Amino acid sequence: KSLMVRYKRIITNLLEENTYIIYNEKNECIILDPGFGFDLIDSFIKSKNLNPKAIIATHGHFDHLASAADLIDKYNLPLYVCKNDQLVVENFERAAGYWGVEAHKPLVSNWIDSKEKKLEISNFSFSVIFNPGHSPGCISFVIDNFIFCGDLIFKGSIGRTDLPLSSPSDMAISLEKFVNSFTSDYTLLTGHGDETTLYQELKTNPYLMKYEK
């Protein structure tokens, strides 16, 4: 059983992307989706005296990985990304140029297979849900009562499917599977915008309500 976790949301400097620092009472932490804002992320880690164990990514888009390389350099961390987003990560430099920001492509040490159901890192035990659509390798990480769902779902909305490598049909399948996978309420920690809950979205989010069985 993993230790009880807490999390800190950090709104980064590009597209108001949400980075999450997930940490436990042993001061170990996992950095999820480190966006453009190394100093914001690192100063929280230092302020809490945390010991980073890994970086995990809900998907490979630039705004979710912009400071990964700097964090890997500083803390010598493994980086976990779903294998189906290899092409997305390969586009990293092009995306940096497009957004006009300075960032290096991170080395992905661990490609997560889309069939994986669990990810164990140190004292953290995540369930992994493969939910492609926004990108081919989107995954959600579940720990305790929290679902870190990246750009699958937002408060009142869902992730875009008009990007290169997006798939509206995959997104529909992922959303239907997602909303029918849970028997209790969870906090949804999204890739952009405010946190919400599964039940709240099932009641009010038109993009999700239609999929509930």
Side-chain angles (χ1 to χ4, degrees):
K1 175 104 182 79
S2 62
L3 304 166
M4 202 182 81
V5 302
R6 301 170 67 186
Y7 66 87
K8 167 73 174 175
R9 169 168 74 124
I10 295 168
I11 303 169
T12 55
N13 299 327
L14 179 67
L15 302 175
E16 299 192 328
E17 182 269 351
N18 291 328
T19 294
Y20 296 95
I21 313 288
I22 304 162
Y23 59 104
N24 62 26
E25 64 259 38
K26 289 190 163 173
N27 279 14
E28 300 166 324
C29 76
I30 303 282
I31 305 162
L32 180 131
D33 288 358
F36 189 65
F38 171 82
D39 293 337
L40 295 170
I41 297 166
D42 199 43
S43 62
F44 179 77
I45 291 169
K46 289 195 293 218
S47 74
K48 285 266 187 235
N49 205 13
L50 299 176
N51 174 16
K53 294 294 182 185
I55 300 169
I56 62 178
T58 59
H59 62 298
H61 281 153
F62 178 79
D63 54 317
H64 292 257
L65 280 177
S67 67
D70 289 340
L71 289 159
I72 290 167
D73 282 352
K74 174 157 185 184
Y75 293 107
N76 190 22
L77 300 172
L79 168 59
Y80 293 79
V81 182
C82 180
K83 195 159 69 206
N84 297 43
D85 260 4
Q86 268 174 305
L87 269 180
V88 178
V89 176
E90 269 166 38
N91 274 326
F92 190 91
E93 269 109 4
R94 197 178 308 162
Y98 175 81
W99 293 110
V101 298
E102 217 19 66
H104 300 288
K105 183 163 97 176
L107 178 72
V108 179
S109 56
N110 298 68
W111 291 105
I112 300 174
D113 191 276
S114 61
K115 294 177 189 67
E116 297 274 340
K117 297 278 184 271
K118 281 253 176 284
L119 180 60
E120 312 263 345
I121 303 169
S122 189
N123 287 290
F124 299 91
S125 176
F126 295 94
S127 297
V128 177
I129 304 170
F130 179 53
N131 38 232
H134 175 69
S135 79
C138 279
I139 49 183
S140 295
F141 296 96
V142 186
I143 190 166
D144 291 1
N145 204 36
F146 309 125
I147 305 173
F148 296 88
C149 59
D151 291 359
L152 176 70
I153 297 168
F154 303 125
K155 190 180 176 122
S157 185
I158 56 169
R160 289 173 60 173
T161 54
D162 60 340
L163 302 164
L165 303 175
S166 293
S167 164
S169 57
D170 282 354
M171 186 64 141
I173 294 165
S174 291
L175 290 170
E176 180 168 354
K177 185 180 112 180
F178 189 91
V179 301
N180 295 296
S181 287
F182 302 99
T183 51
S184 59
D185 202 8
Y186 281 79
T187 301
L188 294 181
L189 289 316
T190 59
H192 304 265
D194 291 333
E195 69 177 61
T196 181
T197 69
L198 184 59
Y199 283 7
Q200 176 70 16
E201 295 311 298
L202 289 176
K203 282 207 290 281
T204 60
N205 185 333
Y207 300 95
L208 291 193
M209 288 154 70
K210 62 181 176 192
Y211 294 112
E212 199 179 4
K213 293 212 162 71

